[in-house]
PDB file of all heavy atoms in Angstrom:
ATOM      1  N   THR A   7     -83.845 125.051-103.312  1.00 83.00           N
ATOM      2  CA  THR A   7     -84.109 125.735-104.420  1.00 83.00           C
ATOM      3  C   THR A   7     -84.993 127.024-104.174  1.00 83.00           C
ATOM      4  O   THR A   7     -84.843 128.017-104.793  1.00 83.00           O
ATOM      5  CB  THR A   7     -84.967 124.874-105.452  1.00 83.00           C
ATOM      6  OG1 THR A   7     -86.124 124.291-104.773  1.00 83.00           O
ATOM      7  CG2 THR A   7     -84.126 123.802-106.062  1.00 83.00           C
ATOM      8  N   GLY A   8     -85.665 126.939-102.953  1.00 85.00           N
ATOM      9  CA  GLY A   8     -86.312 128.174-102.576  1.00 85.00           C
ATOM     10  C   GLY A   8     -85.407 129.364-102.261  1.00 85.00           C
ATOM     11  O   GLY A   8     -85.749 130.447-102.442  1.00 85.00           O
ATOM     12  N   LYS A   9     -84.242 128.990-101.712  1.00 85.00           N
ATOM     13  CA  LYS A   9     -83.222 130.005-101.435  1.00 85.00           C
ATOM     14  C   LYS A   9     -82.491 130.477-102.633  1.00 85.00           C
ATOM     15  O   LYS A   9     -81.734 131.469-102.545  1.00 85.00           O
ATOM     16  CB  LYS A   9     -82.215 129.376-100.468  1.00 85.00           C
ATOM     17  CG  LYS A   9     -82.596 128.973 -99.173  1.00 85.00           C
ATOM     18  CD  LYS A   9     -81.596 128.360 -98.315  1.00 85.00           C
ATOM     19  CE  LYS A   9     -81.974 127.505 -97.178  1.00 85.00           C
ATOM     20  NZ  LYS A   9     -80.971 126.750 -96.535  1.00 85.00           N
ATOM     21  N   ASN A  10     -82.569 129.786-103.802  1.00 79.00           N
ATOM     22  CA  ASN A  10     -81.750 130.082-104.998  1.00 79.00           C
ATOM     23  C   ASN A  10     -82.672 130.288-106.182  1.00 79.00           C
ATOM     24  O   ASN A  10     -82.146 130.070-107.361  1.00 79.00           O
ATOM     25  CB  ASN A  10     -80.750 128.871-105.210  1.00 79.00           C
ATOM     26  CG  ASN A  10     -79.705 128.865-104.175  1.00 79.00           C
ATOM     27  OD1 ASN A  10     -78.847 129.757-104.166  1.00 79.00           O
ATOM     28  ND2 ASN A  10     -79.836 127.878-103.303  1.00 79.00           N
ATOM     29  N   VAL A  11     -83.791 130.778-106.127  1.00 84.00           N
ATOM     30  CA  VAL A  11     -84.715 131.122-107.182  1.00 84.00           C
ATOM     31  C   VAL A  11     -83.982 132.143-108.012  1.00 84.00           C
ATOM     32  O   VAL A  11     -83.405 133.065-107.569  1.00 84.00           O
ATOM     33  CB  VAL A  11     -86.079 131.586-106.815  1.00 84.00           C
ATOM     34  CG1 VAL A  11     -86.876 132.216-107.953  1.00 84.00           C
ATOM     35  CG2 VAL A  11     -86.838 130.499-106.101  1.00 84.00           C
ATOM     36  N   GLN A  12     -83.962 132.016-109.366  1.00 85.00           N
ATOM     37  CA  GLN A  12     -83.273 132.840-110.431  1.00 85.00           C
ATOM     38  C   GLN A  12     -81.748 132.639-110.435  1.00 85.00           C
ATOM     39  O   GLN A  12     -81.105 133.368-111.170  1.00 85.00           O
ATOM     40  CB  GLN A  12     -83.675 134.331-110.219  1.00 85.00           C
ATOM     41  CG  GLN A  12     -85.153 134.587-110.439  1.00 85.00           C
ATOM     42  CD  GLN A  12     -85.681 134.042-111.793  1.00 85.00           C
ATOM     43  OE1 GLN A  12     -85.023 134.393-112.829  1.00 85.00           O
ATOM     44  NE2 GLN A  12     -86.799 133.466-111.799  1.00 85.00           N
ATOM     45  N   ASN A  13     -81.231 131.678-109.687  1.00 85.00           N
ATOM     46  CA  ASN A  13     -79.877 131.317-109.836  1.00 85.00           C
ATOM     47  C   ASN A  13     -79.712 130.118-110.633  1.00 85.00           C
ATOM     48  O   ASN A  13     -80.643 129.408-111.049  1.00 85.00           O
ATOM     49  CB  ASN A  13     -79.226 130.960-108.368  1.00 85.00           C
ATOM     50  CG  ASN A  13     -79.100 132.291-107.519  1.00 85.00           C
ATOM     51  OD1 ASN A  13     -78.872 133.353-108.058  1.00 85.00           O
ATOM     52  ND2 ASN A  13     -79.107 132.079-106.226  1.00 85.00           N
ATOM     53  N   TYR A  14     -78.482 129.883-111.110  1.00 87.00           N
ATOM     54  CA  TYR A  14     -78.163 128.730-111.926  1.00 87.00           C
ATOM     55  C   TYR A  14     -77.803 127.470-111.051  1.00 87.00           C
ATOM     56  O   TYR A  14     -77.173 127.677-109.988  1.00 87.00           O
ATOM     57  CB  TYR A  14     -77.043 129.036-112.923  1.00 87.00           C
ATOM     58  CG  TYR A  14     -77.379 129.985-113.861  1.00 87.00           C
ATOM     59  CD1 TYR A  14     -77.330 131.436-113.705  1.00 87.00           C
ATOM     60  CD2 TYR A  14     -77.951 129.664-115.086  1.00 87.00           C
ATOM     61  CE1 TYR A  14     -77.717 132.343-114.629  1.00 87.00           C
ATOM     62  CE2 TYR A  14     -78.300 130.635-116.100  1.00 87.00           C
ATOM     63  CZ  TYR A  14     -78.168 131.920-115.904  1.00 87.00           C
ATOM     64  OH  TYR A  14     -78.488 132.806-116.797  1.00 87.00           O
ATOM     65  N   MET A  15     -78.225 126.300-111.504  1.00 85.00           N
ATOM     66  CA  MET A  15     -77.913 125.088-110.732  1.00 85.00           C
ATOM     67  C   MET A  15     -77.115 124.131-111.617  1.00 85.00           C
ATOM     68  O   MET A  15     -77.636 123.562-112.623  1.00 85.00           O
ATOM     69  CB  MET A  15     -79.274 124.424-110.267  1.00 85.00           C
ATOM     70  CG  MET A  15     -79.040 123.233-109.510  1.00 85.00           C
ATOM     71  SD  MET A  15     -80.637 122.374-109.105  1.00 85.00           S
ATOM     72  CE  MET A  15     -81.269 122.002-110.724  1.00 85.00           C
ATOM     73  N   ALA A  16     -75.842 123.896-111.258  1.00 86.00           N
ATOM     74  CA  ALA A  16     -75.031 122.988-112.033  1.00 86.00           C
ATOM     75  C   ALA A  16     -75.302 121.607-111.701  1.00 86.00           C
ATOM     76  O   ALA A  16     -75.538 121.195-110.476  1.00 86.00           O
ATOM     77  CB  ALA A  16     -73.547 123.375-111.736  1.00 86.00           C
ATOM     78  N   ILE A  17     -75.336 120.754-112.678  1.00 84.00           N
ATOM     79  CA  ILE A  17     -75.485 119.335-112.475  1.00 84.00           C
ATOM     80  C   ILE A  17     -74.155 118.776-112.662  1.00 84.00           C
ATOM     81  O   ILE A  17     -73.484 118.847-113.712  1.00 84.00           O
ATOM     82  CB  ILE A  17     -76.528 118.731-113.439  1.00 84.00           C
ATOM     83  CG1 ILE A  17     -77.882 119.435-113.217  1.00 84.00           C
ATOM     84  CG2 ILE A  17     -76.692 117.215-113.313  1.00 84.00           C
ATOM     85  CD1 ILE A  17     -78.870 119.250-114.356  1.00 84.00           C
ATOM     86  N   VAL A  18     -73.572 118.115-111.614  1.00 85.00           N
ATOM     87  CA  VAL A  18     -72.210 117.633-111.646  1.00 85.00           C
ATOM     88  C   VAL A  18     -72.171 116.132-111.472  1.00 85.00           C
ATOM     89  O   VAL A  18     -72.804 115.521-110.588  1.00 85.00           O
ATOM     90  CB  VAL A  18     -71.412 118.315-110.417  1.00 85.00           C
ATOM     91  CG1 VAL A  18     -70.022 117.850-110.437  1.00 85.00           C
ATOM     92  CG2 VAL A  18     -71.499 119.789-110.529  1.00 85.00           C
ATOM     93  N   LEU A  19     -71.387 115.538-112.315  1.00 80.00           N
ATOM     94  CA  LEU A  19     -71.089 114.059-112.223  1.00 80.00           C
ATOM     95  C   LEU A  19     -69.556 113.901-112.439  1.00 80.00           C
ATOM     96  O   LEU A  19     -68.993 114.362-113.452  1.00 80.00           O
ATOM     97  CB  LEU A  19     -71.866 113.284-113.323  1.00 80.00           C
ATOM     98  CG  LEU A  19     -71.657 111.818-113.442  1.00 80.00           C
ATOM     99  CD1 LEU A  19     -72.228 111.156-112.123  1.00 80.00           C
ATOM    100  CD2 LEU A  19     -72.342 111.201-114.503  1.00 80.00           C
ATOM    101  N   ASP A  20     -68.961 113.250-111.626  1.00 81.00           N
ATOM    102  CA  ASP A  20     -67.527 112.930-111.692  1.00 81.00           C
ATOM    103  C   ASP A  20     -66.729 114.200-111.742  1.00 81.00           C
ATOM    104  O   ASP A  20     -65.786 114.275-112.577  1.00 81.00           O
ATOM    105  CB  ASP A  20     -67.119 111.957-112.753  1.00 81.00           C
ATOM    106  CG  ASP A  20     -67.776 110.578-112.536  1.00 81.00           C
ATOM    107  OD1 ASP A  20     -68.006 110.237-111.412  1.00 81.00           O
ATOM    108  OD2 ASP A  20     -68.046 109.880-113.560  1.00 81.00           O
ATOM    109  N   ASP A  21     -67.034 115.231-111.008  1.00 86.00           N
ATOM    110  CA  ASP A  21     -66.309 116.493-110.965  1.00 86.00           C
ATOM    111  C   ASP A  21     -66.433 117.192-112.369  1.00 86.00           C
ATOM    112  O   ASP A  21     -65.498 118.035-112.603  1.00 86.00           O
ATOM    113  CB  ASP A  21     -64.915 116.324-110.488  1.00 86.00           C
ATOM    114  CG  ASP A  21     -64.923 116.000-109.074  1.00 86.00           C
ATOM    115  OD1 ASP A  21     -65.815 116.469-108.257  1.00 86.00           O
ATOM    116  OD2 ASP A  21     -63.933 115.305-108.594  1.00 86.00           O
ATOM    117  N   LYS A  22     -67.390 116.935-113.118  1.00 87.00           N
ATOM    118  CA  LYS A  22     -67.620 117.729-114.405  1.00 87.00           C
ATOM    119  C   LYS A  22     -69.024 118.244-114.449  1.00 87.00           C
ATOM    120  O   LYS A  22     -69.937 117.584-114.013  1.00 87.00           O
ATOM    121  CB  LYS A  22     -67.292 116.837-115.601  1.00 87.00           C
ATOM    122  CG  LYS A  22     -66.010 116.337-115.691  1.00 87.00           C
ATOM    123  CD  LYS A  22     -65.586 116.094-117.119  1.00 87.00           C
ATOM    124  CE  LYS A  22     -64.176 115.651-117.340  1.00 87.00           C
ATOM    125  NZ  LYS A  22     -63.059 116.305-116.661  1.00 87.00           N
ATOM    126  N   VAL A  23     -69.167 119.466-114.892  1.00 87.00           N
ATOM    127  CA  VAL A  23     -70.448 120.065-115.077  1.00 87.00           C
ATOM    128  C   VAL A  23     -71.109 119.513-116.334  1.00 87.00           C
ATOM    129  O   VAL A  23     -70.604 119.662-117.378  1.00 87.00           O
ATOM    130  CB  VAL A  23     -70.372 121.579-115.046  1.00 87.00           C
ATOM    131  CG1 VAL A  23     -71.751 122.273-115.304  1.00 87.00           C
ATOM    132  CG2 VAL A  23     -69.825 122.108-113.742  1.00 87.00           C
ATOM    133  N   MET A  24     -72.291 119.007-116.244  1.00 82.00           N
ATOM    134  CA  MET A  24     -72.980 118.314-117.311  1.00 82.00           C
ATOM    135  C   MET A  24     -73.879 119.357-118.032  1.00 82.00           C
ATOM    136  O   MET A  24     -74.948 119.593-117.638  1.00 82.00           O
ATOM    137  CB  MET A  24     -73.734 117.149-116.888  1.00 82.00           C
ATOM    138  CG  MET A  24     -72.926 116.107-116.052  1.00 82.00           C
ATOM    139  SD  MET A  24     -71.400 115.541-116.740  1.00 82.00           S
ATOM    140  CE  MET A  24     -71.959 114.512-118.031  1.00 82.00           C
ATOM    141  N   GLY A  25     -73.323 119.952-119.077  1.00 77.00           N
ATOM    142  CA  GLY A  25     -74.137 120.960-119.942  1.00 77.00           C
ATOM    143  C   GLY A  25     -74.213 122.264-119.186  1.00 77.00           C
ATOM    144  O   GLY A  25     -73.843 122.327-118.026  1.00 77.00           O
ATOM    145  N   GLN A  26     -74.790 123.155-119.823  1.00 76.00           N
ATOM    146  CA  GLN A  26     -74.920 124.520-119.267  1.00 76.00           C
ATOM    147  C   GLN A  26     -75.892 124.408-118.133  1.00 76.00           C
ATOM    148  O   GLN A  26     -77.067 123.967-118.304  1.00 76.00           O
ATOM    149  CB  GLN A  26     -75.373 125.594-120.270  1.00 76.00           C
ATOM    150  CG  GLN A  26     -75.284 126.970-119.798  1.00 76.00           C
ATOM    151  CD  GLN A  26     -75.481 128.026-120.812  1.00 76.00           C
ATOM    152  OE1 GLN A  26     -76.454 127.898-121.594  1.00 76.00           O
ATOM    153  NE2 GLN A  26     -74.580 128.943-121.046  1.00 76.00           N
ATOM    154  N   PRO A  27     -75.632 124.972-117.030  1.00 78.00           N
ATOM    155  CA  PRO A  27     -76.586 124.910-115.801  1.00 78.00           C
ATOM    156  C   PRO A  27     -77.926 125.658-116.137  1.00 78.00           C
ATOM    157  O   PRO A  27     -77.934 126.676-116.577  1.00 78.00           O
ATOM    158  CB  PRO A  27     -75.812 125.585-114.699  1.00 78.00           C
ATOM    159  CG  PRO A  27     -74.375 125.497-115.067  1.00 78.00           C
ATOM    160  CD  PRO A  27     -74.352 125.659-116.527  1.00 78.00           C
ATOM    161  N   PRO A  28     -79.022 124.935-115.700  1.00 79.00           N
ATOM    162  CA  PRO A  28     -80.344 125.637-115.859  1.00 79.00           C
ATOM    163  C   PRO A  28     -80.650 126.549-114.776  1.00 79.00           C
ATOM    164  O   PRO A  28     -80.040 126.542-113.704  1.00 79.00           O
ATOM    165  CB  PRO A  28     -81.408 124.446-115.770  1.00 79.00           C
ATOM    166  CG  PRO A  28     -80.575 123.331-114.976  1.00 79.00           C
ATOM    167  CD  PRO A  28     -79.198 123.566-115.303  1.00 79.00           C
ATOM    168  N   VAL A  29     -81.512 127.511-115.010  1.00 76.00           N
ATOM    169  CA  VAL A  29     -82.039 128.498-113.989  1.00 76.00           C
ATOM    170  C   VAL A  29     -83.208 127.863-113.151  1.00 76.00           C
ATOM    171  O   VAL A  29     -84.052 127.214-113.674  1.00 76.00           O
ATOM    172  CB  VAL A  29     -82.559 129.767-114.665  1.00 76.00           C
ATOM    173  CG1 VAL A  29     -83.108 130.724-113.719  1.00 76.00           C
ATOM    174  CG2 VAL A  29     -81.536 130.386-115.523  1.00 76.00           C
ATOM    175  N   ILE A  30     -83.046 128.120-111.787  1.00 76.00           N
ATOM    176  CA  ILE A  30     -84.114 127.711-110.937  1.00 76.00           C
ATOM    177  C   ILE A  30     -85.249 128.701-111.072  1.00 76.00           C
ATOM    178  O   ILE A  30     -85.066 129.827-110.652  1.00 76.00           O
ATOM    179  CB  ILE A  30     -83.607 127.611-109.465  1.00 76.00           C
ATOM    180  CG1 ILE A  30     -82.491 126.484-109.449  1.00 76.00           C
ATOM    181  CG2 ILE A  30     -84.807 127.193-108.588  1.00 76.00           C
ATOM    182  CD1 ILE A  30     -81.745 126.511-108.045  1.00 76.00           C
ATOM    183  N   ILE A  31     -86.395 128.386-111.549  1.00 75.00           N
ATOM    184  CA  ILE A  31     -87.485 129.321-111.729  1.00 75.00           C
ATOM    185  C   ILE A  31     -88.334 129.386-110.592  1.00 75.00           C
ATOM    186  O   ILE A  31     -88.861 130.455-110.142  1.00 75.00           O
ATOM    187  CB  ILE A  31     -88.407 128.859-112.987  1.00 75.00           C
ATOM    188  CG1 ILE A  31     -87.451 128.898-114.185  1.00 75.00           C
ATOM    189  CG2 ILE A  31     -89.529 129.716-113.143  1.00 75.00           C
ATOM    190  CD1 ILE A  31     -88.076 128.342-115.441  1.00 75.00           C
ATOM    191  N   GLN A  32     -88.499 128.297-109.820  1.00 73.00           N
ATOM    192  CA  GLN A  32     -89.376 128.345-108.598  1.00 73.00           C
ATOM    193  C   GLN A  32     -88.814 127.232-107.627  1.00 73.00           C
ATOM    194  O   GLN A  32     -88.079 126.341-108.090  1.00 73.00           O
ATOM    195  CB  GLN A  32     -90.781 128.111-108.879  1.00 73.00           C
ATOM    196  CG  GLN A  32     -91.076 126.811-109.480  1.00 73.00           C
ATOM    197  CD  GLN A  32     -92.550 126.563-109.976  1.00 73.00           C
ATOM    198  OE1 GLN A  32     -93.137 127.622-110.421  1.00 73.00           O
ATOM    199  NE2 GLN A  32     -93.030 125.428-110.017  1.00 73.00           N
ATOM    200  N   ALA A  33     -89.218 127.295-106.359  1.00 71.00           N
ATOM    201  CA  ALA A  33     -88.806 126.219-105.445  1.00 71.00           C
ATOM    202  C   ALA A  33     -89.450 124.946-105.910  1.00 71.00           C
ATOM    203  O   ALA A  33     -90.608 124.844-106.299  1.00 71.00           O
ATOM    204  CB  ALA A  33     -89.447 126.548-104.043  1.00 71.00           C
ATOM    205  N   ILE A  34     -88.631 123.922-105.991  1.00 74.00           N
ATOM    206  CA  ILE A  34     -89.008 122.591-106.458  1.00 74.00           C
ATOM    207  C   ILE A  34     -88.995 121.591-105.314  1.00 74.00           C
ATOM    208  O   ILE A  34     -87.996 121.524-104.564  1.00 74.00           O
ATOM    209  CB  ILE A  34     -87.991 122.138-107.546  1.00 74.00           C
ATOM    210  CG1 ILE A  34     -87.888 123.191-108.704  1.00 74.00           C
ATOM    211  CG2 ILE A  34     -88.417 120.902-108.128  1.00 74.00           C
ATOM    212  CD1 ILE A  34     -86.710 123.058-109.629  1.00 74.00           C
ATOM    213  N   GLY A  35     -89.972 120.829-105.267  1.00 77.00           N
ATOM    214  CA  GLY A  35     -90.092 119.774-104.221  1.00 77.00           C
ATOM    215  C   GLY A  35     -89.571 118.503-104.655  1.00 77.00           C
ATOM    216  O   GLY A  35     -88.572 118.281-105.407  1.00 77.00           O
ATOM    217  N   ALA A  36     -90.472 117.362-104.455  1.00 84.00           N
ATOM    218  CA  ALA A  36     -90.003 115.985-104.743  1.00 84.00           C
ATOM    219  C   ALA A  36     -90.077 115.779-106.311  1.00 84.00           C
ATOM    220  O   ALA A  36     -89.438 114.858-106.789  1.00 84.00           O
ATOM    221  CB  ALA A  36     -90.900 115.003-103.982  1.00 84.00           C
ATOM    222  N   ARG A  37     -90.903 116.595-106.983  1.00 83.00           N
ATOM    223  CA  ARG A  37     -90.964 116.396-108.436  1.00 83.00           C
ATOM    224  C   ARG A  37     -90.583 117.642-109.091  1.00 83.00           C
ATOM    225  O   ARG A  37     -91.008 118.832-108.704  1.00 83.00           O
ATOM    226  CB  ARG A  37     -92.338 116.107-108.893  1.00 83.00           C
ATOM    227  CG  ARG A  37     -92.802 114.723-108.477  1.00 83.00           C
ATOM    228  CD  ARG A  37     -94.310 114.396-108.969  1.00 83.00           C
ATOM    229  NE  ARG A  37     -94.636 113.155-108.609  1.00 83.00           N
ATOM    230  CZ  ARG A  37     -94.518 112.051-109.327  1.00 83.00           C
ATOM    231  NH1 ARG A  37     -93.955 112.169-110.525  1.00 83.00           N
ATOM    232  NH2 ARG A  37     -94.843 110.856-109.008  1.00 83.00           N
TER     233      ARG A  37
END
């Protein structure tokens, strides 16, 4: 996520994108 700040992150399950991808606002760790 640190490399992709301000990019969109698709959440994929069974080769389908689940809803519109959210924007990565900041590097995210374990939480």
Side-chain angles (χ1 to χ4, degrees):
T7 55
K9 296 175 197 172
N10 289 289
V11 172
Q12 297 303 314
N13 287 334
Y14 293 87
M15 179 182 65
I17 299 167
V18 178
L19 179 67
D20 296 334
D21 291 328
K22 295 212 182 307
V23 176
M24 308 309 291
Q26 193 173 50
V29 176
I30 300 171
I31 297 173
Q32 64 188 28
I34 304 166
R37 292 179 177 271

